[in-house]
Amino acid sequence: MEEAKQNKTILVTGASTGIGAAAARRFAAAGWNVILADINREAGEALAAELGDCALFVLADTRDRSAVEAAVAAGIACFGRLDSVFANAGIHRRNRLLDISDEEFDLVVKTNIYGTVNTLRAAVPAIIRSGGGTVVINSSDQAFIGKPGNFAYGLTKGALAQITRTLALELGPEKIRVNAVCPGTVRTPLVDSLFERVSAAGDTTPDELWAEENALFARGRAGEPSEIAELVYFLASDVSSFCTGGLYLADGGLVAG
């Protein structure tokens, strides 16, 4: 059966590449308008051009609350309303408690936690004005398990899981459902750059690192952005109308074993 087209608008942060771009394509294919917010102007504008009139790119760093507010305002001026937000923007750095610098700790926390909170502060009031809607937060399998060498990243993703639970209760009366997608490793430019940094610091190639990573999953491989985008779409759309406060794994079986 052909999927019914939706006349809704979603804000996607970190929208230019990886999971964000895959989600933007998924929503556009379903007839949603998509506000693409990212710090990568070239990739963002290219994606907006690819998607056509249903997409608007706005240059925005989520660490700057006013920039996200401007993105929301621009999107509403273009499309008339906001029904959902996918708070996706984030970064990853490998570190441990005993070796992380103050600068790197601040960078990860301000991007992953402050950036998400800024996004929600900007988007949620607009969703309320539209009569309700949905929030999807990009957390991680590290909301469920610990991984050595991921001190700051795991800390922030655990915080996003708790934000999801709390907001589901706070925003329920406003007719807003809040859920989190919790991916395992996904083949994205973010992970590629991480493996390149790890490889440069040691004697392992990125291909060897990917082979080691793929072997961790019951599926025999890491995920693809389009697979996570399907779960994001499910959680943002009306087909998941009884789902709120949930942390939804898409991890290839990693946490199961």
Side-chain angles (χ1 to χ4, degrees), residues 4-183:
K5 294 296 183 180
Q6 302 290 312
N7 185 26
K8 295 184 177 182
T9 300
I10 185 169
L11 167 69
V12 179
T13 64
S16 292
T17 60
I19 294 171
R25 292 186 176 98
R26 179 65 180 91
F27 282 94
W32 289 55
N33 300 312
V34 186
I35 308 164
L36 311 167
D38 205 295
I39 60 174
N40 187 333
R41 180 188 295 275
E42 182 177 0
E45 290 180 345
L47 180 59
E50 171 195 327
L51 298 180
D53 292 342
C54 72
L56 173 71
F57 172 73
V58 183
L59 187 69
D61 185 337
T62 58
R63 292 173 295 179
D64 180 353
R65 181 176 174 181
S66 64
V68 191
E69 290 172 341
V72 170
I76 291 174
C78 184
F79 301 122
R81 59 186 291 127
L82 185 66
D83 302 277
S84 184
V85 57
F86 177 32
N88 169 67
I91 61 170
H92 192 300
R93 296 290 186 273
R94 288 188 61 83
N95 45 58
R96 303 179 303 163
L97 170 67
L98 299 180
D99 63 26
I100 187 171
S101 67
D102 291 345
E103 293 76 16
E104 187 161 276
F105 183 70
D106 285 346
L107 175 64
V108 176
V109 169
K110 287 180 179 178
T111 303
N112 293 357
I113 297 180
Y114 279 68
T116 298
V117 172
N118 287 340
T119 298
L120 299 178
R121 282 174 163 174
V124 166
I127 296 172
I128 291 172
R129 290 194 297 271
S130 295
T134 54
V135 171
V136 183
I137 295 172
N138 194 350
S139 181
S140 168
D141 58 354
Q142 292 189 51
F144 295 86
I145 58 172
K147 290 184 179 180
N150 289 262
F151 173 72
Y153 183 79
L155 179 157
T156 62
K157 293 300 184 173
L160 296 186
Q162 188 57 32
I163 287 171
T164 300
R165 296 185 183 100
T166 300
L167 288 185
L169 301 178
E170 289 186 357
L171 298 179
E174 303 291 349
K175 300 182 180 179
I176 296 177
R177 296 186 297 107
V178 185
N179 293 287
V181 60
C182 299

